[in-house]
Amino acid sequence: MKIWTKDEIIARFNMERAVRMIEEGFVAYSRKTVQVPPVQNFQFDAANGDCCVKSAYVEGAAAFAVKVSTGFYDNPKQGLPSNNGLIVLFSATTGEPVALLQDEGWLTCVRTALAGQLAARLLAPREVHGIGIIGSGEQARLQLEYLQPVTGCRDVFVWGPSAKNRGHYVEKMSALGFNVRAMDSAEEVAANANLIVTTTPSREPLLRSEWIRNGTHITAVGADSASKQELDPAIICRARVIVVDSIDQCSKYGEVSHALSAGLIHAEQLLELGALLDAGQRARDDTNLAQITVADLTGVAVQDVQIAASVGA
Amino acid sequence: MKIWTKDEIIARFNMERAVRMIEEGFVAYSRKTVQVPPVQNFQFDAANGDCCVKSAYVEGAAAFAVKVSTGFYDNPKQGLPSNNGLIVLFSATTGEPVALLQDEGWLTCVRTALAGQLAARLLAPREVHGIGIIGSGEQARLQLEYLQPVTGCRDVFVWGPSAKNRGHYVEKMSALGFNVRAMDSAEEVAANANLIVTTTPSREPLLRSEWIRNGTHITAVGADSASKQELDPAIICRARVIVVDSIDQCSKYGEVSHALSAGLIHAEQLLELGALLDAGQRARDDTNLAQITVADLTGVAVQDVQIAASVGA
C-alpha cells in the first residue's frame, strides 16, 4: 500500500484530471452505476466533534474508496485544525489496500470546490459582472480559486461573520489576481454580484430572496448535514432551475430540503448535477437574462473516490 | 499516526488483554453505551468479492475505529489470500488518526475466535469430553486454539468439506497439543462431541438436530451475512439457552434469523452475550446435564474497535 502525506497529495494533485474524474463520478452516480452505501455518522458531544464515513465504488473502476472525515470544533483552542481525515483506496479486483491518502481533510475541501466549478460551468451567467462569496474560510478561498477556469470575472465581493477573516480573505485572494472587496453585509454582496457561492456552516439563512438580483446564479455548499441552512427558502422557490448533487440526499438535508418541507417546491423540479453533465448541456437559459438558478451541493462519496483515485491510484 | 504491519500486530497481540477489552465491548454494546452505525456493504460480482465497513465507538474510550474487511474468493487462484483489510483508530477527543493497523484481516479472525471463547466460558458444559469443529480453515484453527483457557479437553473431532484441508488441520492442531481426528461427516463429529464450533461460510445447514446429543453446546460463527446458515433451525428450537452477540443483527441474519422467520422461536428468548457477561454468571444450567445451548455470533464492530485498541492504541 502506498502512503501519501498531505504535502505529497498536494504536489501530485492535478486540477484538470480531478475535475474530469469528479465529473465522471457524478455522471455514474446519476446513471446509478455506482455503489454508495449510507453514510456512517458519529457524534462526540463531550469533545464538540463529529465524524462521517463515506464510501463509494464506481462500477468498472479499478478501486473503491472509504473516506473518514472528522470535525472537532474545539481543536483550534489547542492549536489544531478543526478538520481531519483520510481516504483509503482498495482494489476492486482483489480487495487489497492500494493507497492511503493522509490528506487531513484537504481532498474533501477540494472536491467540494470542484463541484462548485462544475455547477458554475452549467449555471453561471454568460456575463458575470461580480462574484459574491459568503464566508471567508478555506472553502471560500477554494471556491473562488476554482472558478477561474469558468469565468473571466475577477471582481469579487466577500462577506463572512468575522471581520478579521474577511481581511485575511482579501489579502490571500488578491494575491491570486482577484480584485476583492470586503463588504459589511451579505446584502451588499448580493447587490454587487450575479454569481454567488455560499460556504458557511450557518444554521439560519444568510441570504434573503429580496436581496437577490434577477439573473443571478447561487451555489450553496455549506448545508452538508441536517439543520444547516444558508439560503432563504424563497430563493429556491424563485429559482427557475434547481440543481442538486444528489436528489436523495438534498431531499433529506441541504437547502432544498427546507423548501421541500415548506411545500414551496416539488421534488420533480430537482435536476441532478450528474444527469446534466451527462447531457453535456448548460442548465441555464442564456436567452433569459432574468433567470435565477441555484445549485445545492451537499457532497456525495463519488466525489471522494474520484478525487482520491485522481491522486493516489 | 502509527502504522503497524500484520507481523508487528501479531507480535504486540496479548490474548488476555484482547479478551478483557472485547468483553468490555460486548458489555457496553448491550448497555447501549456505544455508537455502532449501520454496516456499509459492497458487492463486486465480476471479481467474486465483497467488502464491509464496520465502525464503532465505546462511549468514554480514547479512540474510535473504522474497519474495512474484504473477501475476494477467487484470490487464491492467483496466490493471494481471500481476506484482507485494515483498521484505523481515531482520537475521540481531536478526530486525528491515531493508528493504522494493516492486519490483512487477521484481527477480524482473532476477535471472532475470542468471542467464541467468551461464549464457551458462559455456555460450555463443565465436563467437555470431546470438542467438535466444523470447518478446517483459519477460523477453525483459531477457535480451537482459543478454547484452551476455558476447557481442559484436548480431544478434537473435525470435519470440513475438503479432505485435504482436514489433513492440514489435524497436522497443525496436533502440533499445539490436541488429539485431533478427522471425521468423514459432520454427523460423526456431533456423535463424539459435546462442545461444537461451526466455522464455515455454508449456505445450508451442516448439522442436523437429530445428530446433536443432549448436553451439547454449539457456537456458530459462520453466518455473518444474509443467506448463510450452518445449523438446522430445529437445533435453535431445541436449545434451552440461545445466546447472540447482537439481538438486532441476529434477528436479521445469522442462525437465529432462520428459526425466527420459521416461527420456531420468539425474539424474547434471545439473550445478548454482553448482558450475560455484564451479569457475570454462566448462562448454562450446570445441574441440567441434558440441556442444549447455542451461541450465534455474527460479529459486531465493538469487537473490532476493542481488539484494535488492545494492540494499537
Side-chain angles (χ1 to χ4, degrees):
Chain A
M1 177 165 66
K2 292 178 204 157
I3 298 179
W4 305 109
T5 64
K6 181 178 174 181
D7 287 342
E8 290 167 332
I9 290 164
I10 292 173
R12 290 171 63 85
F13 179 72
N14 176 294
M15 189 188 72
E16 286 75 22
R17 185 170 61 221
V19 169
R20 192 174 62 244
M21 291 189 67
I22 289 173
E23 180 171 357
E24 289 170 6
F26 277 124
V27 169
Y29 181 78
S30 292
R31 287 184 183 175
K32 302 192 192 306
T33 57
V34 297
Q35 295 183 43
V36 182
V39 177
Q40 295 180 336
N41 288 292
F42 290 96
Q43 285 290 333
F44 304 93
D45 292 335
N48 191 21
D50 57 43
C51 170
C52 73
V53 182
K54 291 186 172 180
S55 306
Y57 172 54
V58 175
E59 298 283 354
F64 64 100
V66 177
K67 181 186 83 164
V68 184
S69 56
T70 60
F72 280 69
Y73 306 102
D74 295 340
N75 276 0
K77 291 179 196 165
Q78 45 182 316
L80 295 172
S82 296
N83 293 108
N84 210 315
L86 51 79
I87 307 180
V88 190
L89 287 167
F90 295 85
S91 164
T93 51
T94 67
E96 293 168 294
V98 174
L100 167 66
L101 292 91
Q102 293 188 272
D103 69 306
E104 301 170 27
W106 185 78
L107 289 171
T108 299
C109 288
V110 172
R111 61 82 157 154
T112 303
L114 291 178
Q117 182 190 98
L118 288 169
R121 209 172 78 194
L122 297 177
L123 290 159
R126 284 284 182 205
E127 293 196 20
V128 178
H129 59 73
I131 298 172
I133 301 286
I134 305 295
S136 52
E138 183 174 13
Q139 185 58 218
R141 292 196 297 274
L142 287 171
Q143 287 285 345
L144 181 57
E145 183 178 343
Y146 293 140
L147 280 178
Q148 289 177 106
V150 289
T151 176
C153 178
R154 295 294 176 265
D155 294 315
V156 180
F157 304 86
V158 65
W159 174 85
S162 156
K164 188 176 144 198
N165 286 355
R166 289 199 294 271
H168 290 160
Y169 190 87
V170 170
E171 194 180 321
K172 286 182 180 164
M173 302 317 291
S174 297
L176 291 185
F178 292 98
N179 311 312
V180 192
R181 287 173 56 191
M183 312 306 280
D184 290 326
S185 69
E187 182 174 3
E188 289 180 51
V189 171
N192 286 283
N194 64 339
L195 169 57
I196 301 176
V197 187
T198 65
T199 67
T200 75
S202 181
R203 292 177 183 275
E204 54 191 28
L206 298 176
L207 282 178
R208 288 169 59 179
S209 180
E210 54 269 35
W211 302 341
I212 306 301
R213 298 167 55 177
N214 279 338
T216 297
H217 169 70
I218 304 171
T219 294
V221 306
D224 60 353
S225 66
S227 83
K228 289 186 183 169
Q229 183 172 14
E230 298 183 286
L231 306 184
D232 180 356
I235 297 174
I236 312 293
C237 176
R238 201 172 141 202
R240 288 304 91 189
V241 182
I242 308 166
V243 174
V244 297
D245 52 6
S246 160
I247 290 175
D248 180 54
Q249 200 162 280
C250 293
S251 301
K252 291 175 188 148
Y253 50 92
E255 303 301 333
V256 157
S257 69
H258 303 289
L260 278 171
S261 60
L264 297 174
I265 60 168
H266 298 284
E268 295 71 36
Q269 291 175 253
L270 305 179
L271 302 172
E272 214 164 59
L273 183 57
L276 294 170
L277 292 167
D278 202 5
Q281 292 183 323
R282 270 172 68 76
R284 187 181 195 82
D285 176 359
D286 290 312
T287 65
N288 180 349
L289 298 180
Q291 197 173 52
I292 286 181
T293 56
V294 169
D296 183 15
L297 304 179
T298 51
V300 291
V302 286
Q303 294 167 260
D304 301 311
V305 64
Q306 293 295 88
I307 197 166
S310 86
V311 170
Chain B
M1 177 166 65
K2 291 178 205 157
I3 298 179
W4 304 110
T5 65
K6 180 178 175 181
D7 287 343
E8 290 167 333
I9 290 164
I10 292 173
R12 290 171 63 84
F13 179 71
N14 175 293
M15 188 188 74
E16 286 75 22
R17 185 169 62 221
V19 169
R20 191 175 61 245
M21 290 189 67
I22 288 174
E23 180 172 357
E24 289 169 6
F26 278 125
V27 169
Y29 181 77
S30 291
R31 287 183 182 175
K32 304 193 192 305
T33 56
V34 297
Q35 294 183 43
V36 182
V39 177
Q40 295 180 338
N41 287 291
F42 290 97
Q43 285 290 333
F44 304 94
D45 292 335
N48 191 21
D50 57 42
C51 171
C52 73
V53 182
K54 292 186 173 181
S55 306
Y57 173 54
V58 175
E59 298 283 355
F64 64 99
V66 177
K67 180 186 85 166
V68 184
S69 56
T70 60
F72 280 69
Y73 306 102
D74 295 340
N75 276 359
K77 290 179 195 165
Q78 45 181 317
L80 296 172
S82 295
N83 294 107
N84 210 315
L86 51 78
I87 307 178
V88 191
L89 288 167
F90 295 85
S91 164
T93 51
T94 67
E96 293 169 293
V98 174
L100 166 66
L101 292 90
Q102 293 189 270
D103 68 307
E104 300 170 27
W106 186 77
L107 289 171
T108 299
C109 288
V110 171
R111 61 83 157 153
T112 303
L114 292 179
Q117 182 191 98
L118 288 169
R121 210 172 78 193
L122 297 177
L123 289 160
R126 284 285 183 204
E127 293 195 19
V128 177
H129 58 73
I131 299 172
I133 302 286
I134 305 296
S136 51
E138 184 175 13
Q139 185 58 219
R141 292 196 296 274
L142 287 172
Q143 286 285 346
L144 182 57
E145 183 179 342
Y146 292 141
L147 280 178
Q148 290 177 107
V150 288
T151 175
C153 178
R154 295 294 177 264
D155 294 316
V156 180
F157 304 87
V158 65
W159 174 85
S162 156
K164 188 175 145 199
N165 286 357
R166 289 200 294 270
H168 290 159
Y169 189 87
V170 171
E171 193 179 321
K172 285 181 180 164
M173 301 317 291
S174 297
L176 291 185
F178 292 98
N179 311 311
V180 192
R181 288 173 56 189
M183 312 306 281
D184 291 325
S185 69
E187 182 174 3
E188 287 179 53
V189 170
N192 285 283
N194 63 340
L195 169 58
I196 301 177
V197 186
T198 66
T199 67
T200 75
S202 180
R203 292 177 183 274
E204 54 191 28
L206 298 175
L207 282 178
R208 289 170 59 179
S209 181
E210 55 268 35
W211 301 342
I212 307 301
R213 296 168 55 179
N214 278 340
T216 298
H217 169 71
I218 304 171
T219 293
V221 306
D224 60 355
S225 65
S227 83
K228 290 186 184 170
Q229 183 173 15
E230 298 183 286
L231 306 184
D232 180 355
I235 296 174
I236 312 292
C237 176
R238 200 173 142 204
R240 288 304 91 188
V241 181
I242 307 166
V243 174
V244 296
D245 52 7
S246 161
I247 289 175
D248 179 55
Q249 200 162 280
C250 294
S251 300
K252 292 175 188 147
Y253 50 91
E255 303 301 333
V256 157
S257 68
H258 303 289
L260 277 171
S261 60
L264 296 174
I265 60 168
H266 299 285
E268 296 70 37
Q269 291 175 253
L270 305 178
L271 302 172
E272 213 164 60
L273 183 57
L276 294 169
L277 292 167
D278 203 4
Q281 290 184 321
R282 271 172 67 77
R284 187 180 195 82
D285 176 359
D286 291 312
T287 65
N288 179 348
L289 298 180
Q291 198 174 50
I292 286 180
T293 56
V294 169
D296 183 15
L297 305 179
T298 51
V300 290
V302 286
Q303 294 167 261
D304 301 310
V305 64
Q306 293 295 88
I307 198 167
S310 86
V311 170

